[in-house]
Amino acid sequence: MSTPTRLVVLVSGSGTNLQALLDACADPSYGAKVVAVGADRDGIEGLTRAETAGVPTFTAKVKDYTSREHWDRALADKVAAFEPDVVVLAGFMKLVGTSFLDAFGGRTVNTHPALSPSFPGMYGPREALEYGVKVTGATLFIVDAGVDTGAIVAQSTVPVDDDDTEQTLHERIKVAERAMLVDAVGKMAREGFSVEGRRVRFGA
């Protein structure tokens, strides 16, 4: 069997997407292995999940560095130490910068709780409800210098119910997002992928 694709996962909170990846990686046929989990803060459940799974962890807190650029370089160095093939931002609530993208551009992915390019930013479910769309969902994309603007790897649709609140809609999106993330990262690991402009293709 070929060597598993090495994943470094960055988190800021409870780590439910991380847990889904850890569970998937427990099956050797999945094709990937989480080799480290990083965070931008201490004492979060995401780090506990990693430690429980025996995965090395690290933190890089913005306040510990003299500038955002210094933090970005340090984060890139910490991630690079684990030699990842793919970096997954799984609820990581910081924008990565130039140094990070210079090191890991084209192989860093993030999720967004809307169907890109609609409703970028932090409030996708709320804005979908306010706009009155009948279908929304989740997007997995290649991270670039913009906000939720990168090339799309995968999308999953979620219908909007008439009685939805922001919370109920977001919870259903999260379920779809986790399944999409696990499926797409597994395909990236097993089949390889390429990024050509705005097109992401599976298969090396």
Side-chain angles (χ1 to χ4, degrees):
M1 184 176 291
S2 60
T3 303
T5 294
R6 297 172 63 85
L7 307 178
V8 169
V9 183
L10 301 182
V11 298
S12 292
S14 64
T16 51
N17 281 350
L18 165 65
Q19 189 64 57
L21 287 170
L22 289 169
D23 292 345
C25 289
D27 181 351
S29 68
Y30 183 66
K33 177 182 180 181
V34 178
V35 296
V37 173
D40 63 334
R41 61 199 73 185
D42 294 319
I44 59 172
E45 189 178 352
L47 290 175
T48 302
R49 291 178 188 271
E51 291 159 2
T52 299
V55 175
T57 63
F58 62 89
T59 58
K61 295 180 282 188
V62 172
K63 67 182 181 64
D64 290 342
Y65 297 91
T66 56
S67 67
R68 189 63 177 254
E69 292 76 17
H70 184 198
W71 169 81
D72 190 64
R73 288 196 302 272
L75 178 65
D77 288 344
K78 286 174 180 281
V79 171
F82 293 95
E83 301 180 340
D85 300 304
V86 175
V87 180
V88 181
L89 309 188
F92 189 63
M93 301 305 291
K94 294 287 188 295
L95 294 175
V96 296
T98 302
S99 294
F100 193 94
L101 292 174
D102 284 348
F104 303 109
R107 54 194 178 108
T108 298
V109 296
N110 195 5
T111 59
H112 176 57
L115 294 175
S116 297
S118 298
F119 314 123
M122 295 177 62
Y123 304 108
R126 178 190 305 175
E127 292 177 358
L129 279 176
E130 290 174 349
Y131 200 85
V133 298
K134 301 303 182 185
V135 175
T136 185
T139 300
L140 183 71
F141 62 94
I142 301 290
V143 176
D144 63 9
V147 177
D148 304 325
T149 55
I152 293 169
V153 179
Q155 292 184 303
S156 181
T157 59
V158 174
V160 180
D161 295 338
D162 289 342
D163 59 352
D164 261 329
T165 64
E166 180 182 355
Q167 182 177 4
T168 61
L169 179 58
H170 199 182
E171 287 304 313
R172 291 207 315 285
I173 291 172
K174 287 178 182 178
V175 172
E177 178 183 82
R178 281 193 290 275
M180 173 194 66
L181 176 67
V182 168
D183 179 66
V185 170
K187 286 183 70 175
M188 294 169 78
R190 294 186 302 273
E191 301 176 19
F193 66 99
S194 61
V195 184
E196 301 168 9
R198 293 210 55 83
R199 301 291 296 274
V200 179
R201 291 183 170 88
F202 293 109

